Amino acid sequence: MGSERRERMKALGARLRVLRGESGLTGAVLAQRAGVGQPTVSKIETGRMVPSRNVLDRLLDALGLDESAAREVRELLAGVVAAEDVEPTAVDVAEGTTVDEEVWSARSVRSFQCVVLPAMLQSAEYARHVFQSAPHATPEAVGRAVAARVDRQSVLYEPGRESVFVITEAVLRTWPGSPALMLAQFDRLLAVESLSTVRLGVVPWRRPVPVLPRHGFTLCDRRAVVIETFDSERVSTDPAEVAAYEQTFARFERAAIFGAEVRELLLLVMKEFRDLGDTLTP
């Protein structure tokens, strides 16, 4: 990470910490009011995470700042973003992606993926391959990113949250690493699918897709959608765009299988990976 960006991140975090102190709020209370995780507040205030504009706005609203103070903080964030060219992906890889951050703060999550498993369902080794594919990734940054992603997956187990994941069967058959990695990944999918807070659906290859999928996306509550492209993620809070993605998700959800049918499919594909592993073993 470039020294200029690091200093700007620290300045942003320090200013937020001062403003929080002036408001009389603890980090935990601020996180609760803003609808984000307490670790997110801590990392931002210590200059270890760059918040998305959406998360920053929620923090500012929770602090009850006047327009002048809010504008000052937004300008500090703009300064951090302006320094991205020094080392553009280091912070994103090191601290986790936008989708992780948004999912952490949402009570209701609906995610559709057509190639890569949803971030919240990835095993540590699967996630490692995802982060290693990012430009300029370093082993240290990848390690931190994997640890952050696994830590944030704890939200799946929290009462009061609802997570619905819909993937195409192609996701199950697009694999990095080795068959052994995928067998461990399928064990995780089976465990998560059994949670009362999670619904996992798969659009099987034998059914036509309702819309040709072009990219993955994640709806966070009804306030935002994280749109994932080949090399970046974009958060939109535009009501019309969020509504359009909600309609698209509903169409994929109706085409998907759930429950016992999904478990049967997962076990079938697991057997195929197990057989494939036998053929690849020297």
Side-chain angles (χ1 to χ4, degrees), residues 75-92:
E75 288 174 354
L76 288 172
L77 176 61
V80 174
V81 174
E84 279 184 346
D85 291 341
V86 176
E87 190 172 334
T89 61
V91 174
D92 294 337

Side-chain angles (χ1 to χ4, degrees), residues 113-241:
Q113 297 294 334
C114 52
V115 177
V116 180
L117 280 166
M120 291 294 107
L121 302 184
Q122 294 172 8
S123 68
E125 283 306 304
Y126 189 106
R128 188 178 304 279
H129 281 271
V130 171
F131 287 118
Q132 283 175 340
S133 67
H136 313 294
T138 65
E140 295 78 11
V142 169
R144 290 193 296 271
V146 171
R149 174 156 291 182
V150 172
D151 178 61
R152 290 175 178 178
Q153 290 174 353
S154 63
V155 300
L156 293 175
Y157 305 93
E158 292 183 8
R161 290 182 183 265
E162 179 189 37
S163 302
V164 183
F165 303 99
V166 174
I167 62 177
T168 63
E169 186 172 335
V171 173
L172 302 178
R173 300 179 183 277
T174 302
W175 52 285
S178 67
L181 181 155
M182 288 303 293
L183 288 172
Q185 176 64 71
F186 276 92
D187 283 337
R188 170 158 176 74
L189 292 178
L190 286 166
V192 170
E193 192 276 334
S194 68
L195 297 173
S196 61
T197 53
V198 174
R199 292 182 68 227
L200 173 62
V202 178
V203 181
W205 71 268
R206 65 179 181 271
R207 294 186 182 178
V209 289
V211 181
L212 282 175
R214 299 182 179 182
H215 55 256
F217 61 91
T218 300
L219 290 153
C220 299
D221 296 324
R222 306 195 71 172
R223 58 175 170 76
V225 58
V226 183
I227 302 162
E228 302 166 43
T229 62
F230 182 76
D231 59 354
S232 65
E233 296 169 340
R234 175 175 66 87
V235 178
S236 173
T237 56
D238 176 71
E241 192 164 28

Side-chain angles (χ1 to χ4, degrees), residues 99-121:
V99 66
D100 288 344
E101 183 179 308
E102 292 294 334
V103 168
W104 178 275
S105 63
R107 306 303 297 178
S108 172
V109 172
R110 289 164 292 167
S111 183
F112 169 77
Q113 297 294 334
C114 52
V115 177
V116 180
L117 280 166
M120 291 294 107
L121 302 184

Side-chain angles (χ1 to χ4, degrees), residues 112 210-211 217 243-254:
F112 169 77
V211 181
F217 61 91
Y245 274 98
E246 286 185 323
Q247 293 173 6
T248 300
F249 183 85
R251 295 182 68 181
F252 282 115
E253 187 176 16
R254 287 194 294 268

